Amino acid sequence: SLSGYSQMSWKVKAGVNISDITNWELADYKPGYQFGVGMDYYFNDHWGIQPSLMLISKGYKIKGDYPPFINKSEQLKSYDITDNKVYVELPLLLTYRFNVSEKLKLIFSGGGYIAYGITGKFKNTNTLLDGSKRKDKVDSFSAGVEKFDTGLAAGAALEYNDKYSIGLSSDFGLKSTQARFKNRTYGLSFGYRF
């Protein structure tokens, strides 16, 4: 029954996201971006696969005060850290779609992804007791930070007239990229199908 039906199309998508890391309760979400191209291949009216090639930013923010006994000689008061990594990501999703109305389709997707870090900046702004600031920047992937990432991906999208779409997505890292920390990302994107 599948051999008599196939439908393939290409899509571009772009949007925004928020990301943080798991297993560190002090980490806050960091805003970012995501964009790329994808292919939709449907075996029948409902089931299909969706491979994509994405450029996506991930990372986290964290700020707080130094305990009085830490770096006392440097007179450090507080820190403000932003870690911004950029990955090339390849999600492969199984999709299920159904008609909401004549022109609207609802699409659910789930699967996995692999990603590779291509650049990133780790920024730390220290505030000293006298009110002055000291800024440090290093490569996010230095000091033993793993560039390769893999995990689970899921999403839902609403498509209009088989052309325009708006969707929510999420990535949950399965691999620790540094110590015990894993990436976590939630995104909102807009797409156009050719």
Side-chain angles (χ1 to χ4, degrees):
S1 61
L2 297 181
S3 62
Y5 183 101
S6 65
Q7 185 183 41
M8 186 178 74
S9 59
W10 295 91
K11 179 189 291 185
V12 293
K13 46 191 173 181
V16 295
N17 65 36
I18 55 172
S19 60
D20 74 342
I21 51 177
T22 62
N23 300 319
W24 194 5
E25 62 278 0
L26 298 178
D28 290 326
Y29 287 103
K30 176 196 74 69
Y33 58 85
Q34 54 191 35
F35 59 89
V37 296
M39 182 189 78
D40 288 347
Y41 184 87
Y42 278 91
F43 308 111
N44 56 38
D45 285 334
H46 300 291
W47 292 99
I49 57 172
Q50 186 182 80
S52 301
L53 176 64
M54 303 292 294
L55 194 67
I56 181 170
S57 67
K58 301 183 180 186
Y60 62 92
K61 292 174 67 71
I62 182 171
K63 60 174 61 176
D65 294 328
Y66 285 107
F69 56 84
I70 291 187
N71 291 323
K72 197 170 183 180
S73 61
E74 297 185 58
Q75 298 292 297
L76 296 176
K77 179 183 178 183
S78 63
Y79 56 89
D80 188 346
I81 293 171
T82 300
D83 192 9
N84 185 42
K85 300 182 179 78
V86 180
Y87 289 86
V88 173
E89 184 169 296
L90 299 169
L92 178 59
L93 307 176
L94 178 67
T95 60
Y96 180 82
R97 67 178 178 182
F98 62 91
N99 294 334
V100 177
S101 67
E102 186 177 339
K103 292 193 174 183
L104 284 177
K105 289 185 175 71
L106 186 59
I107 303 168
F108 294 102
S109 57
Y113 73 88
I114 57 172
Y116 188 79
I118 57 172
T119 187
K121 286 292 181 187
F122 179 92
K123 302 176 184 178
N124 184 11
T125 301
N126 287 304
T127 302
L128 279 64
L129 292 176
D130 62 6
S132 62
K133 296 185 183 296
R134 188 178 70 195
K135 298 182 179 181
D136 299 307
K137 295 182 182 179
V138 296
D139 186 339
S140 291
F141 294 104
S142 60
V145 179
E146 177 64 53
K147 289 188 174 185
F148 180 73
D149 186 25
T150 184
L152 301 176
L158 193 61
E159 189 174 80
Y160 175 73
N161 207 25
D162 292 327
K163 288 287 185 184
Y164 309 98
S165 63
I166 180 171
L168 298 172
S169 61
S170 57
D171 284 358
F172 302 96
L174 296 177
K175 179 178 173 39
S176 297
T177 56
Q178 181 181 10
R180 57 194 173 89
F181 308 133
K182 300 174 184 178
N183 289 319
R184 177 171 54 189
T185 310
Y186 302 99
L188 170 68
S189 61
F190 301 90
Y192 177 78
R193 184 190 305 278
F194 293 98

